[in-house]
Amino acid sequence: MLTLDQIRAAPKVLLHDHLDGGLRPQTVLELAHEIGYRDLPGDNVEELTRRLTEGAHRGHLEIYLDAFRHTVAVMQTPDALRRVAAECAADLAADGVVYAEVRFAPELHTERGLSLDEVVDAVLEGFRQGGEGRGITVYALLTAMRTAARSLEIAELAVRHRDEGVVGFDIAGAEAGWPPSRHLDAFQYLKREDFHITIHAGEAFGLPSIWEAVQWCGTERLGHGVRIVDDIGIGPEGAVRLGRLAAYIRDRRIPLEMCPTSNVQTGAARSIAEHPIRILRQLQFRVTVNTDNRLMSQVTLSSEFHRLAEEFGYGWSDVEWLTINAMKSAFAGFDERLRLINTVIKPGFATARALSDAVVPVSILGSHHHT
């Protein structure tokens, strides 16, 4: 059985992580103090952590999302955004992540007068500072809120910053009643600009949301995508039948950015044991494993892999397969993806395997006893 420490030491790739969902509680307290934000639900790390994570156990996406009010409130100045982004990069590197795409919605960070461009500049600068010398590459995905009407503006913003570290565009927020096709002009613009698209779809709402994201909006990846399992039938003898949409997504290798713990907390899956990731992995969909919101869900990428290892008996070959899936699915250029797979990820897993296969712990090998 893989241990958490072993998994932490292996190189990992993260495609679905929200900047405003991953703050250090101590930082939230300090930033709130600095800007005079008095609405925090707790005044020490323990209490604040408890209150920011309690919504995660109520089985509903909207309740889960309430905690973000407080993290977003303290992310309204260039200094705060730089700090949060730098700490994000450092925390991910400490967890063994070698490549990450972290998403945030610039329109939520302009309450104190920052322009959208200033928001993006501050976050990108933070990623650079926090990642320096730590063996991690962190790029940004810009998210538009599907309940607002600024998606074209955010798409243009993303393309403006494409050479500074923004690698893609996303839409997020309440799914039901807010279909991605409402934002068609943004997606068409991104296509014309040869830019990358991922869409939150198939989490709180089912197959129509996934179908629209793929066939109308041209998404390259699906944020969550768990409900694709509704299009897969399993017969009494274990025979599997894929519906048209599921077959298309598998055939085209459309990546699923799966976030198991978060899906259980928002009610998208009943438990880790029953999470669709297991069957989707068995059917060789392009599955990837992600954190979603490290603070609210109290997870790391290593802890997500460890839970899957405990629940499904995943070993190194599974973790490596899922990691290479993620790297193949990243929005970095092809050369960069290939370089990371061949010079960082594969050698890193070879080392991890060798260390865990050692018959005697490496530490003992130093003392030789001759009979």
Side-chain angles (χ1 to χ4, degrees), residues 180-238:
S181 52
R182 288 179 76 245
H183 305 278
L184 218 45
D185 54 347
F187 296 118
Q188 287 168 343
Y189 164 77
L190 293 160
K191 287 276 179 208
R192 290 197 300 274
E193 293 293 335
D194 306 308
F195 200 58
H196 293 294
I197 300 168
T198 179
I199 296 179
H200 277 74
E203 178 187 20
F205 198 69
L207 296 172
S209 177
I210 294 176
W211 177 79
E212 273 204 12
V214 173
Q215 306 304 10
W216 276 75
C217 305
T219 193
E220 293 164 75
R221 304 196 312 232
L222 288 165
H224 300 291
V226 281
R227 303 285 14 117
I228 194 61
V229 78
D230 297 348
D231 200 35
I232 299 173
I234 301 173
E237 302 293 305

Side-chain angles (χ1 to χ4, degrees), residues 335-348:
D335 289 339
E336 185 176 2
R337 299 200 307 263
L338 214 54
R339 183 180 60 75
L340 279 164
I341 288 171
N342 290 329
T343 68
V344 178
I345 294 169
K346 285 183 175 175

Side-chain angles (χ1 to χ4, degrees), residues 270-338:
R270 275 202 297 253
S271 65
I272 296 288
E274 295 170 82
H275 194 283
I277 193 167
R278 180 180 204 168
I279 181 149
L280 294 169
R281 154 83 179 98
Q282 287 168 337
L283 293 173
Q284 304 269 323
F285 276 76
R286 177 70 75 78
V287 178
T288 68
V289 176
N290 303 276
T291 49
D292 207 11
N293 299 289
R294 287 169 291 112
L295 167 59
M296 283 70 171
S297 290
Q298 292 288 286
V299 295
T300 62
L301 188 51
S302 296
S303 79
E304 281 298 79
F305 274 118
H306 189 240
R307 286 198 69 178
L308 298 177
E310 282 181 322
E311 203 65 62
F312 306 139
Y314 282 179
W316 283 125
S317 58
D318 302 282
V319 178
E320 182 175 20
W321 185 80
L322 291 158
T323 300
I324 289 176
N325 274 357
M327 199 63 241
K328 283 179 178 174
S329 308
F331 290 154
F334 179 70
D335 289 339
E336 185 176 2
R337 299 200 307 263
L338 214 54

Side-chain angles (χ1 to χ4, degrees), residues 48-75:
L48 185 63
T49 304
R50 194 173 63 74
R51 294 298 299 276
L52 291 179
T53 57
E54 64 187 3
H57 303 287
R58 307 265 278 284
H60 202 289
L61 185 60
E62 268 80 2
I63 298 174
Y64 180 85
L65 294 175
D66 187 58
F68 292 86
R69 225 165 26 97
H70 305 295
T71 54
V72 167
V74 302
M75 295 167 65

